[in-house]
Each structure stands twice: as C-alpha cells, then as structure tokens.
C-alpha cells in the first residue's frame, strides 16, 4: 500500500466531485486545481523507489553508484512542467471568468447557456 | 437532485478505476532504462549535479522551449482578454481605496529586494540544488505581487518588462541554434557549447545556468505582467 498514492487519488476524486457539482465558476476552477494537484502527487509517488534519495548528485550520492541511489527523475521533471502549464491555464481560465462576470454580473454557470447544446 | 446522483455515479465509476490501481500498485525496485541513462549521462556528459535540471534543460530541452511558449501564449491571451477598450464596465471606475499603512509599505520595501535576490539565487543554482528557472521566476513574480498588494498606485514599467521578456525568449532560441551550429546537426539546445567546468561549482554544466537564467527572467516578467493584467485598473 502506498499512502501518498491513495492521497493523490482522493484529491483527484474530490476535484472531480467539485467540478461536477458546483455552480460557481470559480469553485469549478478550484476543483480543477485540486484534481491537478492530485495527478501531480500520483506521478511523483509512482517515481518513488524505497530507501533512495532525490536525484541530486551531491556528497550524499557517490557518483559511481548514482544509478542505485536515486529515485526516478523523469516523473519529477514531468511534474515540474505540469505545474507551470497548470498555473498558466488556470490564470487564463480565471481571466475568462472575470470577463464573463463583467459582461453579465453573474458567476453561476447556469446563466451562461449560449454555448450549451 | 438528479444531477447529484449523476455526479455520484461518475465519481463511483472513477473510484472503480482507481481502487484496482491502488491495490495492485507495487514500488519500482530499479530505475527504468531511460532514467538510468539520464542519471549516468547527466553527470558524466553534461556535468549537471541536479538530474531533473539536466532532463528539463538539455535532454528534453525542446519540450521546455515549448513549455515556455505555452506560458507566453497564455500570458498573451490574458493580455488580450483584459485589453483597454474590450471591457464594457458600467460600474463607476472610482473606488476609493484607503492607503496602505506605513508599516506594510516599509515592510514590503524592506522585503522586496531580499525576495528578489532569493529568486535570482534559486535560478542561478538550478543545476546544483533543487530549483531552477521556473521556480525562481515564480519567486520573482511574488515580489511584484507584494508591491501590487501593498501600494495601490504601483505600476510596472512595461518597456523594461517587455524588453527583458523578449530578450530572454530570443536568447533562449539563439542558444538552442548555437548548439546546432557548434555541435552538429542533432544537438539543438546542447549545453556543451560552453566548457563544462568543474563538477559541482556554480560555473559548471556548460550552458545550463545561462539557459535557466533566461528562463527565470522570462517566467518572472511574464507572470508579473499576468498579475498586472489581472489586478484591474483603478484610475
């Protein structure tokens, strides 16, 4: 059992629940953000290897034996990318919400039916 | 009510996918082959102490260039959404704001240079310790956020910010092409265009510190202009 993995999936489920049930658009974005954090935690915990250290080859990690001493660095690099893109996308979504609010003075998703089919 | 039940069904469906993943999960016991070669080559060929940095800046450098481009496009989109005459705001513009207290102003003026230097430290040491351009840039953007929060009349200098942003973006691409010119056809964004230096010192790992400095400056100015757009105008 991996507690961090369970935490990540729980955050993912909570985020999806927020996105599905909330009417307030800012709360939907918050749900999206929580789900995002959940995915990031899942990715990090998948890259973990027991009793190993961070992939930084300082004095704690002998250079010759580095392959057997560090955790998987690729998920960490991916998560770094995911965080940055997540920030940019969230800022863009929130800007859309601000514009929509200025047009109609409402944050409820029910008041925007133009794009609904 | 029906919607709630519908949402519950979707969440239950997700959980039936998640729970077998959790139950059948077992830890890796060894690095995958790609990670192995990254860890070996990252220290030997590229001279970077921080393997994550080596992956982001050099092994997967093209992806990072794309990531910076995505960030730039998002910032541009935000600027378009908040352009001056697009917003038809009928509310009175004048919102009387109380000035910030002397303690807040002085405290932030004292803190801002320290946080700025901390951000620069983070991206200069990206190849040696946890950190790098994106994190350092985010820390630099918090300085601008603090100044916005404390001083309602504070305005960023768009000329300087725009210049830093475009200069660092263009330089990043030029360094990438230098790899093509100096190292041969399949070495876009190679960090070995500069001498690798002594392993573990600040002037090591070839072009990685330079690339991460440029990324840090670009991300910092970009996030600052996003904050500037989102804070709204009070004339």
């Amino acid at each position: 059992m991996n507690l961090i993995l369970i935490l990540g999936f729980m955050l993912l489920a909570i985020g999806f629940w927020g996105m599905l049930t909330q009417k307030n658009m800012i709360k939907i974005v918050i749900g999206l953000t929580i789900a995002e954090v959940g995915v990031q935690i899942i990715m990090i915990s998948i890259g973990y290897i027991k009793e190993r250290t961070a992939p930084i080859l300082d004095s704690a990690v002998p250079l010759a034996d580095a392959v057997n001493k560090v955790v998987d660095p690729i998920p960490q690099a991916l998560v770094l990318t995911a965080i940055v893109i997540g920030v940019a996308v969230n800022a863009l979504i929130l800007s859309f919400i601000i514009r929509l609010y200025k047009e109609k003075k409402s944050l409820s998703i029910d008041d925007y039916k133009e794009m609904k089919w | 009510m029906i919607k709630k039940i519908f949402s519950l069904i979707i969440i239950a469906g997700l959980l039936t996918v998640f729970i077998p993943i959790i139950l059948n999960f077992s830890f890796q016991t060894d690095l995958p082959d790609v990670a192995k070669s990254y860890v070996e080559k990252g220290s030997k060929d590229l001279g970077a102490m921080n393997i994550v940095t080596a992956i982001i800046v050099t092994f997967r450098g093209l992806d990072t260039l794309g990531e910076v481009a995505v960030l730039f496009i998002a910032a541009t989109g935000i600027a378009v959404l908040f352009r001056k005459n697009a917003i038809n705001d009928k509310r009175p513009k004048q919102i009387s704001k109380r000035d910030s207290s002397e303690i807040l102003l002085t405290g932030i003026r004292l803190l801002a240079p320290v946080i700025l230097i901390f951000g620069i430290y983070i991206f200069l040491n990206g190849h040696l310790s946890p950190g790098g351009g994106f994190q350092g840039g985010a820390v630099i953007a918090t300085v601008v956020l603090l100044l916005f929060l404390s001083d309602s009349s504070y305005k960023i200098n768009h000329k300087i910010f725009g210049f830093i942003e475009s200069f660092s973006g263009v330089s990043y691409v030029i360094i990438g092409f230098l790899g093509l010119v100096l190292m041969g056809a399949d070495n876009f964004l190679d960090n070995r265009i500069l001498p690798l230096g002594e392993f573990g010192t600040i002037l090591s790992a070839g072009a990685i510190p330079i690339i991460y400095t440029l990324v840090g400056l670009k991300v910092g100015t970009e996030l600052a202009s996003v904050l500037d757009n989102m804070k709204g105008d009070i004339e």
Side-chain angles (χ1 to χ4, degrees), chain A residues 19 22-33 88-109 111-112, chain B residues 77-78 81-82 87 91 230:
Chain A
M19 277 191 279
Q22 294 303 313
K23 298 279 177 209
N24 188 323
M25 288 191 284
I26 290 182
K27 287 184 182 170
I28 294 175
V29 177
I30 291 172
L32 179 70
T33 317
V89 170
N90 286 339
L92 193 60
I93 300 173
L94 287 171
S95 310
F96 273 115
I97 293 173
I98 294 172
R99 275 302 300 280
L100 287 172
Y101 180 77
K102 283 189 170 158
E103 295 291 331
K104 276 200 176 172
K105 300 278 177 280
S106 164
L107 281 175
S108 169
I109 195 85
D111 290 339
Y112 298 91
Chain B
I78 291 165
L81 283 174
F82 289 113
I87 298 167
R91 276 179 309 174
M230 290 184 87

Side-chain angles (χ1 to χ4, degrees), chain B residues 80-136:
Chain B
V80 169
L81 283 174
F82 289 113
R83 69 190 185 278
K84 273 274 149 52
N85 18 357
I87 298 167
N88 241 340
D89 205 349
K90 273 140 203 138
R91 276 179 309 174
K93 276 259 162 105
Q94 280 291 344
I95 306 166
S96 62
K97 266 195 177 173
R98 193 157 53 97
D99 279 341
S100 307
S101 71
E102 191 67 32
I103 296 173
L104 184 68
L105 276 176
T106 316
I108 293 209
R109 276 179 197 149
L110 203 70
L111 266 178
V114 181
I115 301 176
L116 190 69
I117 288 173
F118 181 54
I120 293 170
Y121 168 84
I122 288 178
F123 65 63
L124 281 181
N125 282 283
H127 56 303
L128 300 177
S129 60
F134 295 101
Q135 299 91 318

Side-chain angles (χ1 to χ4, degrees), chain B residues 5-186:
Chain B
I5 295 168
F6 187 62
S7 316
L8 261 180
I9 293 169
I10 292 180
I11 296 293
L14 278 176
L15 286 180
T16 52
V17 179
F18 293 164
I19 287 169
I21 299 179
I22 294 172
L23 290 179
N24 296 328
F25 178 80
S26 59
F27 283 102
Q28 297 181 64
T29 50
D30 205 6
L31 292 180
D33 288 344
V34 187
K36 251 181 204 164
S37 85
Y38 280 170
V39 170
E40 272 165 7
K41 285 185 185 161
S43 53
K44 223 175 278 167
D45 296 0
L46 305 182
M49 243 166 105
N50 185 345
I51 303 297
V52 177
T53 300
I55 292 174
I56 286 181
V57 178
T58 304
F59 292 125
R60 305 242 54 89
L62 194 62
D63 299 356
T64 308
L65 191 60
E67 184 186 354
V68 172
V70 169
L71 202 60
F72 172 72
I73 291 167
T76 316
I78 291 165
V80 169
L81 283 174
F82 289 113
R83 69 190 185 278
K84 273 274 149 52
N85 18 357
I87 298 167
N88 241 340
D89 205 349
K90 273 140 203 138
R91 276 179 309 174
K93 276 259 162 105
Q94 280 291 344
I95 306 166
S96 62
K97 266 195 177 173
R98 193 157 53 97
D99 279 341
S100 307
S101 71
E102 191 67 32
I103 296 173
L104 184 68
L105 276 176
T106 316
I108 293 209
R109 276 179 197 149
L110 203 70
L111 266 178
V114 181
I115 301 176
L116 190 69
I117 288 173
F118 181 54
I120 293 170
Y121 168 84
I122 288 178
F123 65 63
L124 281 181
N125 282 283
H127 56 303
L128 300 177
S129 60
F134 295 101
Q135 299 91 318
V139 170
I140 288 175
T142 58
V143 176
V144 181
L145 180 63
L146 277 178
L147 290 170
F148 281 148
L149 288 176
S150 66
D151 186 353
S152 58
S153 63
Y154 178 77
K155 285 202 167 61
I156 62 172
N157 189 333
H158 286 283
K159 258 187 191 158
I160 293 177
F161 272 62
F163 174 76
I164 294 175
E165 198 186 324
S166 38
F167 170 79
S168 47
V170 170
S171 313
Y172 188 13
V173 178
I174 287 175
I175 287 177
F177 278 113
L178 274 181
L180 281 186
V181 174
L182 298 174
M183 301 291 298
D186 55 349

Side-chain angles (χ1 to χ4, degrees), chain B residues 86 98 166 213 225 234:
Chain B
R98 193 157 53 97
S166 38
T213 305
S225 51
I234 294 150

Side-chain angles (χ1 to χ4, degrees), chain A residues 3-97:
Chain A
L3 281 179
I4 306 292
L5 194 74
I6 295 169
L7 173 75
F9 278 118
M10 271 167 65
L11 285 175
L12 191 57
I14 292 169
F16 268 99
W17 174 254
M19 277 191 279
L20 289 168
T21 54
Q22 294 303 313
K23 298 279 177 209
N24 188 323
M25 288 191 284
I26 290 182
K27 287 184 182 170
I28 294 175
V29 177
I30 291 172
L32 179 70
T33 317
I34 292 172
E36 237 172 61
V37 173
V39 172
Q40 289 157 8
I41 289 175
I42 292 167
M43 281 161 75
I44 286 287
S45 72
I46 286 173
Y48 179 68
I49 302 173
K50 271 186 180 166
E51 293 173 357
R52 293 201 184 185
T53 184
I56 292 166
L57 309 179
D58 57 2
S59 53
V61 182
L63 261 184
D65 200 28
V67 176
N68 297 319
K69 292 280 185 211
V70 298
V71 301
D72 195 347
I74 296 171
Q76 305 197 358
L78 278 174
V79 167
L80 180 53
T81 310
I83 291 172
V84 175
I85 300 295
V87 166
V89 170
N90 286 339
L92 193 60
I93 300 173
L94 287 171
S95 310
F96 273 115
I97 293 173

